[in-house]
Coordinates of all heavy atoms in Angstrom, one line a residue:
D48 N -232.3 61.1 217.3 CA -231.7 60.1 216.4 C -232.8 59.5 215.5 O -232.6 59.4 214.3 CB -231.0 59.0 217.1 CG -229.7 59.5 217.8 OD1 -229.2 60.6 217.5 OD2 -229.2 58.8 218.7
I49 N -233.9 59.1 216.1 CA -235.0 58.5 215.4 C -235.6 59.5 214.4 O -235.9 59.2 213.2 CB -236.1 58.0 216.3 CG1 -235.5 56.7 217.0 CG2 -237.4 57.6 215.5 CD1 -236.4 56.3 218.2
K50 N -235.8 60.8 214.8 CA -236.2 61.8 213.8 C -235.3 62.0 212.6 O -235.8 62.0 211.5 CB -236.4 63.2 214.6 CG -237.4 63.3 215.6 CD -237.4 64.6 216.3 CE -238.2 64.7 217.5 NZ -238.0 65.9 218.3
T51 N -234.0 62.0 212.9 CA -233.0 62.2 211.8 C -233.0 61.0 210.9 O -233.0 61.1 209.6 CB -231.6 62.4 212.4 OG1 -231.7 63.6 213.3 CG2 -230.6 62.6 211.4
M52 N -233.0 59.8 211.5 CA -232.9 58.6 210.6 C -234.2 58.5 209.8 O -234.1 58.2 208.6 CB -232.9 57.3 211.5 CG -231.6 57.2 212.2 SD -231.6 55.8 213.5 CE -230.0 56.0 214.2
T53 N -235.4 58.7 210.4 CA -236.6 58.6 209.6 C -236.7 59.7 208.5 O -237.1 59.4 207.3 CB -237.8 58.8 210.5 OG1 -237.8 57.8 211.6 CG2 -239.2 58.8 209.8
A54 N -236.2 60.9 208.8 CA -236.2 62.0 207.8 C -235.3 61.6 206.6 O -235.5 62.1 205.5 CB -235.7 63.3 208.4
N55 N -234.3 60.7 206.8 CA -233.4 60.3 205.7 C -233.8 59.0 205.2 O -233.0 58.4 204.5 CB -232.0 60.3 206.3 CG -231.5 61.7 206.5 OD1 -231.1 62.3 205.5 ND2 -231.4 62.2 207.7
G56 N -235.0 58.5 205.4 CA -235.5 57.3 204.8 C -234.9 56.0 205.4 O -234.9 55.0 204.7
V57 N -234.4 56.1 206.6 CA -233.8 54.9 207.3 C -234.8 54.4 208.3 O -235.3 55.2 209.1 CB -232.5 55.3 208.0 CG1 -231.9 54.2 208.7 CG2 -231.5 55.8 206.9
F58 N -234.9 53.1 208.4 CA -235.7 52.4 209.4 C -235.0 52.5 210.7 O -233.9 51.9 210.9 CB -236.1 51.0 209.0 CG -237.0 50.4 210.0 CD1 -238.4 50.6 210.1 CD2 -236.4 49.5 211.0 CE1 -239.2 49.9 211.0 CE2 -237.3 48.8 212.0 CZ -238.6 49.1 211.9
A59 N -235.5 53.2 211.7 CA -234.8 53.4 213.0 C -235.2 52.4 214.1 O -236.4 52.1 214.3 CB -235.1 54.8 213.5

Side-chain angles (χ1 to χ4, degrees):
D48 293 344
I49 290 170
K50 290 175 193 176
T51 301
M52 291 172 186
T53 302
N55 285 284
V57 175
F58 182 80

